Amino acid sequence: MTLPKTEKQIRKGTPQVGTPPFKQIHAHSTGNPDSTAQNEADFMQTKDLNTGFYTHVVGNGRVIQVAPVNQGSWDVGGDWNSWGYASIELIESHQTRAEFEKDYKNYVELLRKAAKNAGVAIRVDSGEEGILSHSYCTQRQPNNKSNHVDPYPYLAKWGISEAQFKKDVESGEITGGGNNNIPRQIVVDGQWGNDCTKRLQEYFGTKPIDGIISGQIKTSANANVYSAQWGTGGSNVVRAIQKQLGLVQDGNIGSGTVKAMQKHCGTAQDGIISPVSDMVKEMQRALNKGKF
């Protein structure tokens, strides 16, 4: 793998945290589904450093260094802040698998490169030295004050397990292990929110992929579609659903469309999406299997 050239947008005045040698590389993800790599780099320029800081951001095909390495960071919320040679964030705003895979490869390679530069073993979540996830630090470090478990929940959305991440980083060979066939995973909670909508948009290949059901005429049928934007004009992803179900393609989630979706999902057909909907749960389960 070949990393893109590291862009230097380094915040001045970041503090020294701990003393050399720094024997850990910290693996993070941003926790922000809307921010780009540049957003995160810009945020680093003005944020209160006492609330935390990081050294690199990976995303949008870019690697941006925002703080010096080899001086520790306020990044894992415990004693291992002072052990960190580098703290590397992966963005969480990928809209397609291709975007994710490109940045994931860069993320893995940068973690490996940082470990080599620090002179530490390329091993993941093992002991007190090496490449450690924020999740592992939360569970293992002395005087922990963090409840963060990144980057694993975000990686899991794209079919990357903790075991796969460990294998990819330690080997430096990302073969996918079958993960290319696993769709991005969403929560099965029965609520039709932004992430559910975004996954539908990804599945049907409609644009934009923004997590919004646009142009909806509000009725009792769709009032509990939490990602709906009220208005007129309809939604491209709703038209795609209607086309697959053999309906008139007006782009609006009306009672007829809801009944057809309920029938398709094998749930009760009342033409209304409930606040927590059995139909939506079945739809979310199907999407997690790469189906509708």
Side-chain angles (χ1 to χ4, degrees):
M1 291 180 287
T2 302
L3 274 170
K5 182 178 180 181
T6 299
E7 304 172 43
K8 305 280 189 176
Q9 300 180 30
I10 296 176
R11 169 80 179 265
K12 295 180 180 179
T14 52
Q16 177 89 21
V17 181
T19 56
F22 297 96
K23 292 296 186 179
Q24 295 176 357
I25 310 300
H26 295 155
H28 298 271
S29 61
T30 62
N32 188 335
D34 300 313
S35 70
T36 65
Q38 190 59 58
N39 291 153
E40 295 293 337
D42 291 343
F43 178 59
M44 179 62 185
Q45 296 305 312
T46 57
K47 76 184 302 289
D48 180 356
L49 295 176
N50 292 319
T51 65
F53 65 95
Y54 37 91
T55 64
H56 295 78
V57 181
V58 177
N60 309 116
R62 303 166 68 188
V63 173
I64 306 174
Q65 184 176 352
V66 294
V69 299
N70 202 33
Q71 64 175 28
S73 298
W74 302 118
D75 70 312
V76 292
D79 283 2
W80 286 354
N81 286 330
S82 61
W83 288 49
Y85 176 86
S87 50
I88 299 170
E89 297 272 4
L90 175 68
I91 65 167
E92 292 195 7
S93 56
H94 301 102
Q95 295 190 356
T96 67
R97 173 164 289 281
E99 289 177 357
F100 170 78
E101 288 179 351
K102 181 177 182 180
D103 284 343
Y104 178 67
K105 290 176 181 178
N106 289 339
Y107 181 56
V108 167
E109 185 60 25
L110 184 60
L111 290 167
R112 289 174 54 83
K113 180 179 179 181
K116 291 175 183 177
N117 290 343
V120 301
I122 300 177
R123 63 186 182 197
V124 175
D125 290 351
S126 177
E128 296 184 344
E129 298 184 7
I131 298 168
L132 307 183
S133 67
H134 196 166
S135 178
Y136 182 86
C137 294
T138 293
Q139 298 171 47
R140 302 297 183 91
Q141 69 183 333
N143 297 313
N144 177 66
K145 299 295 190 298
S146 175
N147 61 2
H148 291 198
V149 293
D150 56 294
Y152 293 129
Y154 183 65
L155 296 182
K157 286 186 175 183
W158 295 99
I160 305 294
S161 66
E162 293 183 30
Q164 185 68 48
F165 177 67
K166 179 179 178 69
K167 178 181 178 182
D168 291 342
V169 174
E170 292 182 351
S171 70
E173 298 178 3
I174 302 177
T175 60
N179 286 322
N180 288 340
N181 297 320
I182 300 175
R184 184 174 70 83
Q185 301 293 286
I186 58 175
V187 175
V188 177
D189 60 5
Q191 298 183 13
W192 192 337
N194 296 106
D195 201 37
C196 181
T197 294
K198 184 177 286 188
R199 185 68 195 94
L200 283 166
Q201 292 166 332
E202 293 167 353
Y203 176 83
F204 284 104
T206 58
K207 301 294 184 180
I209 300 176
D210 58 3
I212 295 172
I213 301 288
S214 58
Q216 296 301 293
I217 300 169
K218 189 173 184 178
T219 67
S220 60
N222 62 18
N224 294 310
V225 177
Y226 302 115
S227 58
Q229 186 178 75
W230 309 120
T232 59
S235 161
N236 288 336
V237 72
V238 174
R239 291 186 183 93
I241 291 170
Q242 291 168 330
K243 182 178 180 180
Q244 179 156 325
L245 298 179
L247 305 174
V248 173
Q249 297 163 42
D250 63 3
N252 194 64
I253 304 173
S255 61
T257 295
V258 174
K259 284 182 180 179
M261 293 178 71
Q262 290 169 330
K263 181 178 180 180
H264 176 75
C265 291
T267 60
Q269 299 167 44
D270 62 1
I272 295 173
I273 295 175
S274 305
V276 178
S277 164
D278 289 339
M279 182 276 288
V280 173
K281 286 182 182 178
E282 292 305 315
M283 181 173 69
Q284 290 167 331
R285 292 188 181 106
L287 289 168
N288 283 343
K289 296 176 183 177
K291 304 176 181 179
F292 171 73

